[in-house]
């Protein structure tokens, strides 16, 4: 964490993120190219990881694509192929801060230029960049009521995941325990308090995530 390669990677992501915003009008003619580049990055990231794990004989049930970032990936891939406002509402809330936080506090034991390092950061970069693409180039907007809707959806998804963790001895959604590396989850306590704090953090993150979207829509209304 915070090695030179880690810091450079975070800086490159931030430059790309804000460049898309700043040059959005200039990039409008290239939106199809951006779309398929992001689509390819997401698809190849998910597929290549499982191929690598299989080839290196490291794959097990804990590698099933049931983590929040994998679900974000599948939602984004779906949206690249078919427009759906409700699907985007959910992606918006789980596809920005969670992947970015995962990049800030990465849970990988590999360093650049290892495949796992490159895949991890490309994958987690592509998810929020895809969300940004849908906002800038496809005109998606999120209503305030979607905060509660998406929060409930995540909790509904989490219920079977919780029981799946118990059956498979896995830690999908980090519902069994915090991450192995030091992240914000490490400070949420244990037992019932861990889940209470997790719910509080989740709704707080959803509200924070919505603030820029709310400001964007308010500005649009004021400008007519």
């Amino acid at each position: 964490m915070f090695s030179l390669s880690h810091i450079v990677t975070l800086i490159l992501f931030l430059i790309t993120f804000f460049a898309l915003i700043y040059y959005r009008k200039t990039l409008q003619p290239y939106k199809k190219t951006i779309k398929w580049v992001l689509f390819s990055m997401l698809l190849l990231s998910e597929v290549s990881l499982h191929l690598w794990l299989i080839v290196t004989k490291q794959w097990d049930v804990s590698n099933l694509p049931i983590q929040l970032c994998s679900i974000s990936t599948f939602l984004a891939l779906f949206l690249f192929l078919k427009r759906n406002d409700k699907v985007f509402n959910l992606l918006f809330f789980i596809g920005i801060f969670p992947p970015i936080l995962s990049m800030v506090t990465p849970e990988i034991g590999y360093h650049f230029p290892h495949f796992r390092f490159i895949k991890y950061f490309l994958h987690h970069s592509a998810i929020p960049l895809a969300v940004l693409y849908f906002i800038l180039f496809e005109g998606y907007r999120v209503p305030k009521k979607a905060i509660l809707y998406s929060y409930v959806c995540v909790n509904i998804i989490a219920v079977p995941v919780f029981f799946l963790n118990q059956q498979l001895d896995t830690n999908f959604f980090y519902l069994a325990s915090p991450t192995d590396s030091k992240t914000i989850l490490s400070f949420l306590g244990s037992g019932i308090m861990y889940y209470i704090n997790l719910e509080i953090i989740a709704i707080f993150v959803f509200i924070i995530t919505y603030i820029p979207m709310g400001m964007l829509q308010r500005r649009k209304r004021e400008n007519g």
Side-chain angles (χ1 to χ4, degrees):
M1 194 186 303
F2 301 122
S3 62
L4 179 60
S5 57
H6 183 206
I7 292 171
V8 169
T9 302
L10 292 176
I11 291 172
L12 288 174
F13 164 74
L14 291 173
I15 290 172
T16 305
F17 190 90
F18 288 108
L20 278 177
I21 298 173
Y22 187 80
Y23 294 107
R24 61 190 180 279
K25 293 182 180 178
T26 305
L27 293 170
Q28 194 67 33
Y30 308 100
K31 75 173 193 175
K32 281 192 175 180
T33 301
I34 299 170
K35 170 183 177 178
W36 293 115
V37 166
L38 289 170
F39 180 91
S40 301
M41 284 175 64
L42 290 168
L43 183 61
L44 290 174
S45 292
E46 197 66 56
V47 172
S48 64
L49 172 62
H50 293 282
L51 287 175
W52 182 83
L53 289 168
I54 292 169
V55 169
T56 57
K57 298 180 180 180
Q58 298 183 61
W59 194 96
D60 61 37
V61 290
S62 66
N63 300 122
L64 286 169
I66 307 178
Q67 292 290 16
L68 209 55
C69 286
S70 289
I71 291 175
S72 297
T73 298
F74 298 138
L75 293 178
L77 291 173
F78 174 82
L79 287 169
F80 277 123
L81 301 175
K82 182 177 176 62
R83 186 179 181 91
N84 188 300
D85 290 335
K86 287 187 177 181
V87 171
F88 178 74
N89 290 345
L90 179 57
L91 174 64
F92 176 77
F93 289 104
I94 67 174
I96 299 179
F97 272 117
I100 291 175
L101 289 174
S102 294
M103 285 193 286
V104 173
T105 56
E107 193 182 12
I108 52 172
Y110 300 90
H111 302 278
F112 182 83
H114 194 280
F115 160 75
R116 288 294 298 272
F117 181 97
I118 296 171
K119 178 269 165 193
Y120 184 93
F121 285 101
L122 279 179
H123 193 178
H124 286 80
S125 295
I127 298 170
L129 290 176
V131 175
L132 187 61
Y133 165 85
F134 290 126
I135 295 170
L136 297 177
F137 299 104
E138 298 292 343
Y140 277 96
R141 295 295 181 265
V142 179
K144 187 181 292 185
K145 63 182 180 181
I147 298 175
L148 181 59
Y149 162 80
S150 301
Y151 181 73
V152 171
C153 282
V154 170
N155 275 276
I156 290 172
I157 297 169
V159 172
V161 172
F162 175 83
F163 291 107
L164 187 65
N165 282 335
Q166 293 185 326
Q167 293 297 315
L168 300 179
D169 192 26
T170 50
N171 193 20
F172 300 125
F173 277 42
Y174 300 111
L175 292 176
S177 65
T179 56
D180 292 330
S181 58
K182 205 74 170 176
T183 67
I184 190 171
L185 298 180
S186 306
F187 302 96
L188 300 187
S190 59
I192 189 65
M193 285 309 301
Y194 176 70
Y195 296 107
I196 291 172
N197 289 329
L198 202 58
E199 292 286 355
I200 294 171
I201 290 291
I203 193 64
F204 178 75
V205 167
F206 278 31
I207 293 170
I208 293 296
T209 302
Y210 184 77
I211 289 174
M213 176 61 70
M215 292 172 62
L216 173 66
Q217 296 187 94
R218 191 182 307 115
R219 185 180 302 173
K220 188 176 180 180
R221 287 194 299 269
E222 289 174 354
N223 293 336

